[in-house]
Amino acid sequence: MAQTSGFSRRYIKAFVSGFFIVVPVTVTVLDQLAYVAGVEGASVQPSLNPEGAAASDIVLLNRWSVRNYQVQRGDIVSLV
C-alpha cells in the first residue's frame, strides 16, 4: 500500500509540473506563431471549402507574417 501511495504521489507531482510547463508554452506558440482553425462558408469558396456547407477545411493560420506585415497579394487573411 505504501508503494502505491508513493507512486501515485510521484505521478501527480510529475503531471502538475508538466502541466505548468506545457500550458504556457502552448499558449505562447498559439498566440505568437500560428494556430489551427476551421474555415467554412461561402465567402472562402472556391479556394477553400469547395463542396459548400457540407464540409469545412482546416487551415494553419500564420500569425508571424502578419506581425511583420509580410502579407502579399494572393494571401488569405482571416479576421476574428
Side-chain angles (χ1 to χ4, degrees), residues 11-28:
Y11 178 75
I12 291 171
K13 184 178 178 183
F15 175 78
V16 169
S17 64
F19 180 80
F20 285 115
I21 292 171
V22 170
V23 169
V25 169
T26 303
V27 168
T28 301

Side-chain angles (χ1 to χ4, degrees), residues 6 20-21 23-25 33-34 41 48 50-51 53-54 59 61 66 71 73 79:
F20 285 115
I21 292 171
V23 169
V25 169
L33 299 177
L48 299 173
E51 287 90 29
V59 295
L61 299 174
V66 174
V71 179
R73 184 179 182 142
L79 301 174

Side-chain angles (χ1 to χ4, degrees), residues 53-72:
S56 65
D57 288 338
I58 297 179
V59 295
L60 179 68
L61 299 174
N62 182 356
R63 298 185 81 162
W64 190 257
S65 292
V66 174
R67 178 177 302 272
N68 297 327
Y69 302 106
Q70 295 176 354
V71 179
Q72 298 174 355

